[in-house]
Coordinates of all heavy atoms in Angstrom, one line a residue:
M596 N -3.5 -9.0 11.2 CA -4.8 -8.5 11.6 C -4.7 -7.1 12.2 O -5.5 -6.3 12.0 CB -5.5 -9.5 12.5 CG -6.9 -9.1 12.7 SD -7.8 -9.4 11.2 CE -9.4 -9.5 11.8
S597 N -3.6 -6.8 12.9 CA -3.5 -5.5 13.6 C -3.3 -4.4 12.5 O -3.6 -3.3 12.8 CB -2.3 -5.6 14.6 OG -1.1 -5.8 13.9
E598 N -2.7 -4.7 11.4 CA -2.5 -3.7 10.3 C -3.9 -3.3 9.8 O -4.1 -2.1 9.5 CB -1.7 -4.3 9.2 CG -1.3 -3.3 8.1 CD -0.4 -3.8 7.0 OE1 0.5 -4.7 7.4 OE2 -0.6 -3.5 5.9
V599 N -4.8 -4.2 9.6 CA -6.1 -3.9 9.1 C -6.8 -3.0 10.2 O -7.5 -2.0 9.8 CB -7.0 -5.2 8.9 CG1 -8.4 -4.9 8.6 CG2 -6.4 -6.0 7.7
K600 N -6.7 -3.4 11.4 CA -7.3 -2.6 12.5 C -6.8 -1.2 12.5 O -7.5 -0.2 12.7 CB -7.1 -3.3 13.8 CG -7.9 -2.7 15.0 CD -7.7 -3.6 16.2 CE -8.5 -3.0 17.4 NZ -8.4 -3.9 18.6
E601 N -5.5 -1.1 12.3 CA -4.8 0.2 12.3 C -5.3 1.1 11.2 O -5.6 2.3 11.3 CB -3.3 0.0 12.2 CG -2.5 1.3 12.4 CD -1.0 1.1 12.4 OE1 -0.6 0.2 13.1 OE2 -0.3 1.8 11.6
N602 N -5.5 0.5 10.0 CA -6.0 1.2 8.8 C -7.4 1.7 9.1 O -7.8 2.8 8.7 CB -5.9 0.3 7.6 CG -4.5 0.2 7.0 OD1 -3.7 1.0 7.3 ND2 -4.3 -0.8 6.3
I603 N -8.2 0.8 9.7 CA -9.6 1.2 10.0 C -9.6 2.4 11.0 O -10.4 3.3 10.8 CB -10.4 0.0 10.6 CG1 -10.6 -1.0 9.5 CG2 -11.7 0.5 11.2 CD1 -11.2 -2.3 9.9
Q604 N -8.7 2.4 12.0 CA -8.7 3.5 12.9 C -8.2 4.8 12.2 O -8.7 5.8 12.6 CB -7.7 3.1 14.1 CG -8.3 2.1 15.0 CD -7.2 1.6 16.0 OE1 -6.0 1.7 15.8 NE2 -7.7 1.1 17.1
K605 N -7.3 4.7 11.3 CA -6.9 5.9 10.6 C -8.0 6.5 9.7 O -8.2 7.7 9.7 CB -5.7 5.5 9.6 CG -4.4 5.4 10.3 CD -3.3 5.0 9.3 CE -2.0 4.7 10.0 NZ -0.9 4.4 9.0
I606 N -8.8 5.6 9.1 CA -9.9 6.1 8.3 C -10.9 6.7 9.2 O -11.4 7.8 8.8 CB -10.5 4.9 7.5 CG1 -9.5 4.4 6.4 CG2 -11.9 5.3 6.9 CD1 -9.9 3.1 5.7
A607 N -11.2 6.1 10.3 CA -12.2 6.7 11.2 C -11.7 8.0 11.7 O -12.5 9.0 11.8 CB -12.5 5.7 12.4
S608 N -10.4 8.1 12.0 CA -9.8 9.3 12.5 C -9.9 10.4 11.5 O -10.2 11.6 11.8 CB -8.4 9.1 12.9 OG -7.8 10.3 13.3
D609 N -9.6 10.1 10.2 CA -9.7 11.0 9.1 C -11.1 11.6 9.0 O -11.4 12.8 8.8 CB -9.2 10.4 7.8 CG -7.7 10.3 7.7 OD1 -7.0 10.9 8.5 OD2 -7.3 9.6 6.8
Q610 N -12.1 10.7 9.1 CA -13.5 11.1 8.9 C -13.9 12.0 10.1 O -14.6 13.0 9.8 CB -14.4 9.8 8.9 CG -14.3 9.0 7.6 CD -15.0 7.7 7.7 OE1 -15.4 7.2 8.7 NE2 -15.3 7.1 6.5
Q611 N -13.5 11.7 11.3 CA -13.8 12.6 12.4 C -13.1 14.0 12.2 O -13.8 15.0 12.5 CB -13.3 12.0 13.7 CG -14.1 10.8 14.1 CD -13.5 10.1 15.3 OE1 -12.3 10.1 15.6 NE2 -14.3 9.4 16.1
E612 N -11.9 14.0 11.7 CA -11.2 15.2 11.5 C -11.9 16.1 10.4 O -12.1 17.3 10.6 CB -9.8 15.0 11.2 CG -9.0 16.3 11.1 CD -7.5 16.0 10.9 OE1 -7.0 14.8 10.9 OE2 -6.7 17.0 10.8
A613 N -12.4 15.4 9.4 CA -13.1 16.1 8.3 C -14.4 16.7 8.9 O -14.7 17.9 8.5 CB -13.4 15.1 7.2
Q614 N -15.1 16.0 9.7 CA -16.3 16.5 10.3 C -16.0 17.8 11.2 O -16.7 18.7 11.2 CB -17.0 15.5 11.2 CG -17.7 14.4 10.3 CD -18.8 15.0 9.5 OE1 -18.6 15.7 8.5 NE2 -20.1 14.8 9.9
M615 N -14.9 17.7 12.0 CA -14.5 18.8 12.8 C -14.2 20.1 12.0 O -14.6 21.2 12.3 CB -13.4 18.4 13.7 CG -13.7 17.4 14.8 SD -12.4 17.0 15.9 CE -10.9 17.5 15.2
V616 N -13.5 19.9 10.9 CA -13.1 21.0 10.0 C -14.4 21.6 9.4 O -14.6 22.8 9.3 CB -12.1 20.6 8.9 CG1 -11.9 21.7 7.9 CG2 -10.8 20.2 9.6
K617 N -15.3 20.7 8.9 CA -16.5 21.2 8.2 C -17.3 22.0 9.2 O -17.8 23.1 8.9 CB -17.4 20.0 7.8 CG -16.8 19.3 6.6 CD -17.7 18.1 6.2 CE -17.1 17.3 5.1 NZ -17.8 16.1 4.8
Q618 N -17.4 21.5 10.5 CA -18.2 22.2 11.5 C -17.5 23.6 11.8 O -18.2 24.6 11.9 CB -18.3 21.4 12.8 CG -19.3 22.0 13.7 CD -20.7 22.1 13.2 OE1 -21.2 21.1 12.6 NE2 -21.3 23.2 13.2
A619 N -16.2 23.6 11.9 CA -15.5 24.9 12.2 C -15.8 25.9 11.0 O -16.0 27.1 11.3 CB -14.0 24.6 12.3
I620 N -15.8 25.4 9.8 CA -16.0 26.3 8.7 C -17.5 26.8 8.7 O -17.7 28.0 8.5 CB -15.7 25.6 7.3 CG1 -14.2 25.4 7.2 CG2 -16.3 26.3 6.1 CD1 -13.8 24.6 6.0
K621 N -18.4 26.0 9.0 CA -19.8 26.4 9.1 C -20.1 27.4 10.2 O -20.9 28.3 10.1 CB -20.7 25.2 9.4 CG -21.0 24.3 8.2 CD -21.9 23.1 8.6 CE -22.0 22.1 7.5 NZ -22.8 20.9 7.9
D622 N -19.3 27.2 11.3 CA -19.5 28.1 12.5 C -18.8 29.4 12.3 O -19.1 30.4 13.1 CB -18.9 27.4 13.8 CG -19.8 26.2 14.2 OD1 -20.9 26.1 13.7 OD2 -19.3 25.4 15.0
D623 N -17.9 29.6 11.4 CA -17.2 30.8 11.2 C -18.1 31.8 10.5 O -18.6 31.5 9.4 CB -15.9 30.6 10.4 CG -15.0 31.8 10.4 OD1 -15.4 32.8 9.7 OD2 -14.0 31.7 11.1
Q624 N -18.3 33.0 11.1 CA -19.1 34.0 10.5 C -18.7 34.4 9.1 O -19.5 34.7 8.2 CB -19.2 35.3 11.3 CG -20.1 35.1 12.5 CD -20.2 36.4 13.3 OE1 -19.3 37.2 13.4 NE2 -21.4 36.7 13.9
G625 N -17.4 34.5 8.8 CA -16.9 34.9 7.5 C -17.1 33.8 6.4 O -16.9 34.1 5.2
L626 N -17.4 32.6 6.8 CA -17.5 31.5 5.9 C -18.9 30.8 5.9 O -19.2 30.0 5.0 CB -16.5 30.4 6.3 CG -15.0 30.8 6.1 CD1 -14.1 29.7 6.7 CD2 -14.7 31.1 4.7
S627 N -19.7 31.1 6.8 CA -21.0 30.4 6.9 C -21.8 30.5 5.6 O -22.5 29.5 5.3 CB -21.8 30.9 8.1 OG -22.1 32.3 8.0
A628 N -21.8 31.6 4.9 CA -22.6 31.8 3.7 C -22.0 30.9 2.6 O -22.8 30.5 1.7 CB -22.5 33.2 3.3
V629 N -20.8 30.5 2.6 CA -20.2 29.7 1.5 C -19.8 28.3 2.0 O -19.2 27.6 1.2 CB -19.0 30.4 0.8 CG1 -19.4 31.7 0.1 CG2 -17.9 30.7 1.9
A630 N -20.1 28.0 3.2 CA -19.7 26.7 3.8 C -20.2 25.5 2.9 O -19.5 24.5 2.8 CB -20.2 26.6 5.2
K631 N -21.4 25.7 2.4 CA -21.9 24.6 1.6 C -21.1 24.3 0.3 O -21.2 23.3 -0.3 CB -23.4 24.8 1.2 CG -23.6 26.0 0.3 CD -25.1 26.3 0.1 CE -25.4 27.5 -0.7 NZ -24.4 28.3 -1.3
D632 N -20.4 25.3 -0.1 CA -19.6 25.2 -1.4 C -18.1 24.8 -1.1 O -17.3 24.6 -2.0 CB -19.5 26.6 -2.1 CG -20.9 27.1 -2.5 OD1 -21.7 26.2 -2.9 OD2 -21.2 28.3 -2.4
I633 N -17.8 24.6 0.2 CA -16.4 24.1 0.5 C -16.5 22.6 0.9 O -17.2 22.2 1.8 CB -15.9 24.9 1.7 CG1 -15.8 26.4 1.3 CG2 -14.5 24.4 2.1 CD1 -15.4 27.3 2.5
H634 N -15.8 21.8 0.2 CA -15.7 20.4 0.4 C -14.4 20.0 1.1 O -13.4 20.4 0.7 CB -15.8 19.6 -0.9 CG -17.0 20.1 -1.8 ND1 -18.3 19.8 -1.5 CD2 -17.1 20.9 -2.8 CE1 -19.1 20.3 -2.3 NE2 -18.4 21.1 -3.2
V635 N -14.6 19.3 2.2 CA -13.5 18.9 3.0 C -13.2 17.4 3.0 O -14.2 16.6 3.2 CB -13.7 19.3 4.5 CG1 -12.6 18.9 5.4 CG2 -14.0 20.8 4.6
T636 N -12.0 17.0 2.7 CA -11.6 15.6 2.8 C -10.4 15.5 3.6 O -9.6 16.5 3.7 CB -11.4 14.9 1.5 OG1 -10.4 15.7 0.7 CG2 -12.7 14.9 0.7
V637 N -10.2 14.4 4.3 CA -8.9 14.2 5.0 C -8.4 12.8 4.7 O -9.2 11.8 4.7 CB -9.2 14.3 6.6 CG1 -7.9 14.0 7.3 CG2 -9.7 15.6 6.9
K638 N -7.2 12.7 4.3 CA -6.6 11.4 4.0 C -5.2 11.4 4.7 O -4.4 12.3 4.4 CB -6.4 11.2 2.5 CG -5.9 9.8 2.2 CD -6.0 9.5 0.7 CE -5.5 8.1 0.5 NZ -5.5 7.8 -0.9
E639 N -5.0 10.4 5.6 CA -3.8 10.2 6.3 C -3.3 11.5 7.0 O -2.2 11.9 7.0 CB -2.7 9.7 5.4 CG -3.0 8.3 4.8 CD -2.0 7.8 3.9 OE1 -0.9 8.4 3.7 OE2 -2.3 6.7 3.3
G640 N -4.3 12.3 7.5 CA -4.0 13.4 8.3 C -3.9 14.7 7.5 O -3.8 15.8 8.1
T641 N -4.0 14.7 6.2 CA -3.9 15.9 5.4 C -5.3 16.3 5.0 O -6.0 15.6 4.4 CB -3.0 15.7 4.1 OG1 -1.7 15.3 4.5 CG2 -3.0 16.9 3.3
V642 N -5.6 17.6 5.4 CA -6.9 18.1 5.1 C -6.9 18.8 3.7 O -5.9 19.5 3.4 CB -7.3 19.2 6.1 CG1 -8.6 19.9 5.7 CG2 -7.4 18.6 7.5
T643 N -7.8 18.4 2.8 CA -7.9 19.0 1.5 C -9.2 19.8 1.4 O -10.3 19.2 1.7 CB -7.8 17.9 0.4 OG1 -6.6 17.2 0.6 CG2 -7.8 18.6 -1.0
L644 N -9.1 21.0 1.0 CA -10.3 21.9 0.7 C -10.5 22.0 -0.8 O -9.5 22.3 -1.5 CB -10.1 23.3 1.4 CG -9.8 23.3 2.9 CD1 -9.5 24.7 3.3 CD2 -10.9 22.7 3.7
E645 N -11.7 21.8 -1.2 CA -12.0 22.0 -2.6 C -13.4 22.8 -2.7 O -14.2 22.7 -1.8 CB -12.2 20.7 -3.3 CG -10.8 19.9 -3.3 CD -10.9 18.5 -4.0 OE1 -11.9 17.8 -3.7 OE2 -10.1 18.2 -4.8
G646 N -13.6 23.4 -3.8 CA -14.8 24.1 -4.0 C -14.5 25.6 -4.4 O -13.4 25.9 -4.9
E647 N -15.5 26.4 -4.3 CA -15.4 27.8 -4.7 C -15.9 28.7 -3.6 O -16.8 28.5 -2.9 CB -16.2 28.0 -6.0 CG -15.8 27.2 -7.2 CD -16.6 27.5 -8.4 OE1 -17.7 28.0 -8.3 OE2 -16.1 27.1 -9.5
V648 N -15.2 29.8 -3.5 CA -15.5 30.9 -2.6 C -15.5 32.2 -3.4 O -15.0 32.3 -4.5 CB -14.6 31.0 -1.4 CG1 -14.7 29.8 -0.5 CG2 -13.1 31.1 -1.8
S649 N -16.1 33.3 -2.8 CA -16.2 34.5 -3.6 C -15.0 35.5 -3.5 O -14.8 36.3 -4.4 CB -17.5 35.3 -3.0 OG -18.6 34.5 -3.2
T650 N -14.2 35.3 -2.5 CA -13.1 36.3 -2.3 C -11.9 35.6 -1.8 O -11.9 34.5 -1.3 CB -13.5 37.4 -1.2 OG1 -13.6 36.7 0.1 CG2 -14.8 38.1 -1.6
E651 N -10.8 36.3 -2.0 CA -9.5 35.8 -1.5 C -9.5 35.7 0.0 O -8.9 34.8 0.6 CB -8.3 36.7 -1.9 CG -7.9 36.6 -3.4 CD -7.1 35.3 -3.7 OE1 -6.4 34.8 -2.8 OE2 -7.2 34.9 -4.8
Q652 N -10.2 36.6 0.7 CA -10.3 36.6 2.1 C -11.0 35.3 2.6 O -10.5 34.7 3.6 CB -11.2 37.8 2.6 CG -10.4 39.1 2.6 CD -11.3 40.3 3.0 OE1 -12.4 40.4 2.6 NE2 -10.8 41.1 3.8
Q653 N -12.0 34.9 1.9 CA -12.7 33.7 2.3 C -11.8 32.5 2.1 O -11.8 31.5 2.9 CB -14.0 33.5 1.5 CG -15.1 34.4 1.9 CD -16.3 34.4 1.0 OE1 -16.2 34.1 -0.2 NE2 -17.5 34.7 1.5
L654 N -11.0 32.5 1.0 CA -10.1 31.4 0.7 C -9.1 31.3 1.8 O -8.8 30.2 2.3 CB -9.4 31.6 -0.7 CG -8.5 30.5 -1.1 CD1 -8.9 30.1 -2.5 CD2 -7.1 31.0 -1.1
N655 N -8.5 32.4 2.2 CA -7.5 32.4 3.3 C -8.1 32.1 4.6 O -7.5 31.3 5.4 CB -6.8 33.8 3.4 CG -6.0 34.1 2.1 OD1 -5.5 33.2 1.5 ND2 -5.8 35.4 1.8
L656 N -9.3 32.5 4.9 CA -10.0 32.2 6.1 C -10.3 30.7 6.2 O -10.1 30.1 7.3 CB -11.3 33.1 6.2 CG -12.0 33.0 7.6 CD1 -11.2 33.3 8.8 CD2 -13.3 33.9 7.5
A657 N -10.7 30.1 5.1 CA -11.0 28.7 5.1 C -9.7 27.9 5.4 O -9.8 26.9 6.2 CB -11.6 28.3 3.8
T658 N -8.7 28.3 4.8 CA -7.4 27.6 5.0 C -6.9 27.8 6.5 O -6.5 26.8 7.1 CB -6.3 28.2 4.1 OG1 -6.7 28.1 2.7 CG2 -5.0 27.5 4.2
N659 N -7.0 29.0 7.0 CA -6.6 29.2 8.4 C -7.5 28.5 9.4 O -7.1 27.9 10.4 CB -6.6 30.7 8.7 CG -5.6 31.4 8.0 OD1 -4.6 30.8 7.5 ND2 -5.7 32.7 7.8
T660 N -8.8 28.4 9.1 CA -9.8 27.8 10.0 C -9.5 26.3 10.0 O -9.4 25.6 11.0 CB -11.2 28.0 9.5 OG1 -11.5 29.4 9.6 CG2 -12.2 27.3 10.4
A661 N -9.3 25.7 8.8 CA -8.9 24.3 8.7 C -7.6 24.0 9.4 O -7.5 23.0 10.1 CB -8.9 23.8 7.2
G662 N -6.7 24.9 9.3 CA -5.4 24.7 9.9 C -5.5 24.7 11.4 O -4.7 24.0 12.1
A663 N -6.4 25.5 11.9 CA -6.5 25.6 13.4 C -7.1 24.4 14.0 O -6.9 24.0 15.1 CB -7.4 26.8 13.7
V664 N -7.9 23.7 13.2 CA -8.6 22.5 13.6 C -7.8 21.2 13.3 O -7.9 20.2 14.0 CB -10.0 22.4 13.0 CG1 -10.7 21.1 13.4 CG2 -10.8 23.6 13.4
A665 N -7.1 21.2 12.2 CA -6.4 20.0 11.7 C -5.4 19.5 12.7 O -4.7 20.3 13.3 CB -5.7 20.4 10.4
V666 N -5.4 18.2 12.9 CA -4.6 17.6 13.9 C -3.1 17.7 13.5 O -2.3 18.0 14.4 CB -5.0 16.1 14.0 CG1 -4.0 15.3 14.9 CG2 -6.4 15.9 14.5
D667 N -2.8 17.5 12.3 CA -1.4 17.6 11.9 C -1.0 18.9 11.2 O 0.1 19.1 10.7 CB -1.1 16.5 10.8 CG -1.1 15.1 11.5 OD1 -0.9 15.0 12.7 OD2 -1.4 14.1 10.7
D668 N -1.9 19.9 11.2 CA -1.6 21.2 10.6 C -1.3 21.1 9.2 O -0.6 22.0 8.6 CB -0.5 22.0 11.4 CG -0.9 22.3 12.8 OD1 -2.1 22.6 13.0 OD2 0.0 22.4 13.7
K669 N -1.7 20.1 8.5 CA -1.5 19.9 7.1 C -2.7 20.2 6.3 O -3.7 19.5 6.4 CB -1.0 18.5 6.7 CG 0.3 18.1 7.3 CD 0.6 16.6 6.9 CE 1.6 16.0 7.8 NZ 1.7 14.5 7.6
V670 N -2.7 21.3 5.6 CA -3.9 21.7 4.8 C -3.5 22.0 3.4 O -2.6 22.8 3.1 CB -4.6 23.0 5.4 CG1 -5.8 23.4 4.6 CG2 -5.0 22.8 6.8
K671 N -4.2 21.4 2.5 CA -4.0 21.6 1.0 C -5.2 22.3 0.5 O -6.4 21.8 0.6 CB -3.8 20.2 0.4 CG -3.5 20.3 -1.1 CD -3.3 18.8 -1.6 CE -3.0 18.9 -3.1 NZ -2.9 17.5 -3.7
N672 N -5.0 23.4 -0.1 CA -6.2 24.2 -0.5 C -6.3 24.2 -2.0 O -5.4 24.7 -2.7 CB -6.0 25.7 -0.1 CG -7.3 26.5 -0.3 OD1 -8.0 26.2 -1.3 ND2 -7.5 27.5 0.5
N673 N -7.3 23.5 -2.5 CA -7.5 23.4 -4.0 C -8.8 24.2 -4.4 O -9.4 24.0 -5.4 CB -7.8 21.9 -4.4 CG -6.5 21.1 -4.2 OD1 -5.4 21.6 -4.2 ND2 -6.7 19.8 -4.1
M674 N -9.1 25.2 -3.6 CA -10.3 26.0 -3.9 C -10.0 27.1 -4.9 O -8.9 27.5 -5.1 CB -10.9 26.6 -2.6 CG -11.4 25.6 -1.6 SD -12.3 26.4 -0.3 CE -11.1 27.5 0.4
D675 N -11.1 27.5 -5.6 CA -11.1 28.6 -6.5 C -11.8 29.8 -6.0 O -12.8 29.7 -5.3 CB -11.7 28.2 -7.9 CG -10.9 27.1 -8.6 OD1 -9.7 27.3 -8.6 OD2 -11.5 26.2 -9.1
V676 N -11.4 31.0 -6.4 CA -12.1 32.2 -6.1 C -12.9 32.6 -7.3 O -12.4 32.9 -8.4 CB -11.1 33.4 -5.7 CG1 -11.9 34.6 -5.4 CG2 -10.3 33.0 -4.5
T677 N -14.3 32.5 -7.2 CA -15.1 32.7 -8.4 C -15.2 34.2 -8.8 O -15.3 34.5 -10.0 CB -16.6 32.2 -8.1 OG1 -17.1 32.9 -7.0 CG2 -16.6 30.7 -7.9
H678 N -15.1 35.1 -7.9 CA -15.1 36.5 -8.2 C -14.0 36.9 -9.1 O -14.2 37.6 -10.1 CB -15.0 37.3 -6.9 CG -15.0 38.8 -7.1 ND1 -16.2 39.5 -7.5 CD2 -14.0 39.7 -7.1 CE1 -15.9 40.8 -7.7 NE2 -14.6 40.9 -7.4
N679 N -12.8 36.4 -8.9 CA -11.7 36.7 -9.7 C -11.9 36.1 -11.1 O -11.5 36.6 -12.1 CB -10.4 36.2 -9.1 CG -9.9 37.1 -8.0 OD1 -10.5 38.2 -7.8 ND2 -9.0 36.6 -7.2
K680 N -12.5 34.9 -11.2 CA -12.7 34.2 -12.5 C -13.7 35.1 -13.3 O -13.4 35.3 -14.5 CB -13.3 32.8 -12.3 CG -12.3 31.8 -12.0 CD -13.0 30.4 -12.0 CE -12.0 29.3 -11.8 NZ -12.6 28.0 -11.8
Q681 N -14.7 35.5 -12.7 CA -15.7 36.3 -13.4 C -15.0 37.6 -13.9 O -15.3 38.1 -15.0 CB -16.9 36.7 -12.5 CG -17.7 35.4 -12.2 CD -18.8 35.7 -11.2 OE1 -18.8 36.7 -10.5 NE2 -19.7 34.7 -11.0
K682 N -14.2 38.2 -13.1 CA -13.5 39.5 -13.4 C -12.6 39.2 -14.6 O -12.6 40.0 -15.6 CB -12.7 39.9 -12.2 CG -12.6 41.4 -12.1 CD -11.8 41.6 -10.8 CE -12.0 43.0 -10.3 NZ -11.3 43.3 -9.0
E683 N -11.9 38.1 -14.6 CA -11.0 37.8 -15.7 C -11.8 37.6 -17.0 O -11.3 38.0 -18.1 CB -10.2 36.5 -15.4 CG -9.1 36.7 -14.4 CD -8.5 35.4 -13.9 OE1 -8.6 34.4 -14.6 OE2 -7.8 35.4 -12.9
E684 N -12.9 36.9 -16.9 CA -13.7 36.7 -18.1 C -14.3 38.0 -18.7 O -14.3 38.2 -19.9 CB -14.9 35.7 -17.8 CG -14.5 34.3 -17.6 CD -15.6 33.4 -17.1 OE1 -16.7 33.8 -17.1 OE2 -15.3 32.3 -16.7
I685 N -14.6 38.9 -17.9 CA -15.1 40.2 -18.3 C -14.0 41.0 -19.0 O -14.2 41.6 -20.1 CB -15.7 41.1 -17.1 CG1 -17.0 40.4 -16.6 CG2 -15.9 42.5 -17.5 CD1 -17.5 41.0 -15.3
I686 N -12.8 40.9 -18.4 CA -11.6 41.6 -19.0 C -11.3 41.0 -20.4 O -11.1 41.7 -21.4 CB -10.4 41.5 -18.1 CG1 -10.7 42.4 -16.9 CG2 -9.1 41.9 -18.8 CD1 -9.6 42.2 -15.8
K687 N -11.4 39.7 -20.5 CA -11.1 39.0 -21.8 C -12.2 39.4 -22.8 O -11.9 39.6 -24.0 CB -11.1 37.5 -21.6 CG -9.9 37.0 -20.9 CD -10.0 35.5 -20.7 CE -8.8 34.9 -20.0 NZ -8.9 33.5 -19.7
E688 N -13.4 39.5 -22.4 CA -14.5 39.8 -23.3 C -14.3 41.3 -23.8 O -14.5 41.5 -25.0 CB -15.9 39.7 -22.7 CG -16.3 38.3 -22.5 CD -17.6 38.2 -21.7 OE1 -18.3 39.2 -21.6 OE2 -18.0 37.1 -21.3
K689 N -13.9 42.2 -23.0 CA -13.7 43.6 -23.4 C -12.5 43.7 -24.3 O -12.5 44.5 -25.2 CB -13.5 44.5 -22.1 CG -14.7 44.7 -21.4 CD -14.5 45.6 -20.2 CE -15.8 45.9 -19.4 NZ -15.6 46.8 -18.3
A690 N -11.6 42.8 -24.2 CA -10.4 42.9 -25.0 C -10.7 42.4 -26.4 O -10.0 42.8 -27.4 CB -9.3 42.0 -24.4
L691 N -11.7 41.6 -26.6 CA -12.1 41.1 -27.9 C -12.9 42.2 -28.6 O -12.9 42.6 -29.6 CB -13.0 39.8 -27.8 CG -12.3 38.6 -27.1 CD1 -13.4 37.5 -26.9 CD2 -11.2 38.1 -28.0

């Protein structure tokens, strides 16, 4: 029974950590405009960021912000920079 209780505590802890990271991202001036596009999950202490931002600076800032709040300092960034994608598509179109 104690193993089940321990798992429940880990899940609750992960959820609390995800909320703290989300709030830190919302509160950051450099990220507040794109905070709704950044999805945060935490599993077994590892923070995962997903979604899209406009610039490399925002991507790095999100990673750093999450790292500053993360309990275990483990952050996995799976986000994309949309500005660069659009730029690449324009270059490809011009090449055709």
